[in-house]
Amino acid sequence: MSIKLTLLKTGEQLISDMKELVAEGKDQAHAYLLDNPHTVQINEKQFVTEDEKDIGGGDFGINVALLPWIILSKDKQMIIPVDSVLTVVEPLESVTQLYLDKMKSFQMQEQ
């Protein structure tokens, strides 16, 4: 499994299990296959605990929410052309864990 954070040219941030799609005889990917892509939404926290103040170095805090990317689709895998992507990076471990926990709870609900 390769969990990646993808920044699209539209400004959307997606987290998903990502694979590169490479045409036969080519060296570079021509598209990405995203498995269960979710939009990463970042909101300022309304309330911050004392522990979070100490760790964060101030009054700043954020909440991260993950929502299915195309919420009205029943498709679990989506193909994104390379030219729609600005960059692909490794997410923070806490964000990766949040995504994995959500995927695990989805699997339980489907059974």
Side-chain angles (χ1 to χ4, degrees):
M1 188 175 281
S2 182
I3 307 300
K4 299 291 183 184
L5 192 61
T6 306
L7 178 60
L8 301 179
K9 288 182 179 178
T10 61
E12 292 174 289
Q13 292 183 51
L14 304 177
I15 188 167
S16 67
D17 184 11
M18 175 188 270
K19 295 177 181 74
E20 291 183 343
L21 299 178
V22 180
E24 202 169 312
K26 301 283 183 178
D27 292 349
Q28 294 182 326
H30 69 277
Y32 297 107
L33 177 65
L34 306 182
D35 194 17
N36 288 311
H38 278 62
T39 302
V40 178
Q41 293 188 343
I42 300 168
N43 304 307
E44 273 191 55
K45 281 189 175 183
Q46 299 299 318
F47 302 99
V48 180
T49 66
E50 290 297 323
D51 290 338
E52 290 171 327
K53 282 185 183 180
D54 294 340
I55 293 169
D59 293 339
F60 180 75
I62 60 170
N63 279 329
V64 175
L66 304 179
L67 300 171
W69 181 37
I70 303 176
I71 200 160
L72 297 178
S73 175
K74 65 180 180 179
D75 293 337
K76 300 290 185 208
Q77 295 185 322
M78 297 168 195
I79 297 173
I80 306 294
V82 169
D83 63 356
S84 296
V85 175
L86 191 57
T87 191
V88 177
V89 296
E90 293 288 328
L92 295 171
E93 289 202 25
S94 58
V95 177
T96 300
Q97 192 59 52
L98 181 65
Y99 175 76
L100 292 172
D101 290 347
K102 186 166 186 181
M103 292 305 99
K104 190 175 181 180
S105 71
F106 274 167
Q107 289 173 352
M108 288 176 171
Q109 290 173 0
E110 290 177 354
Q111 293 175 354

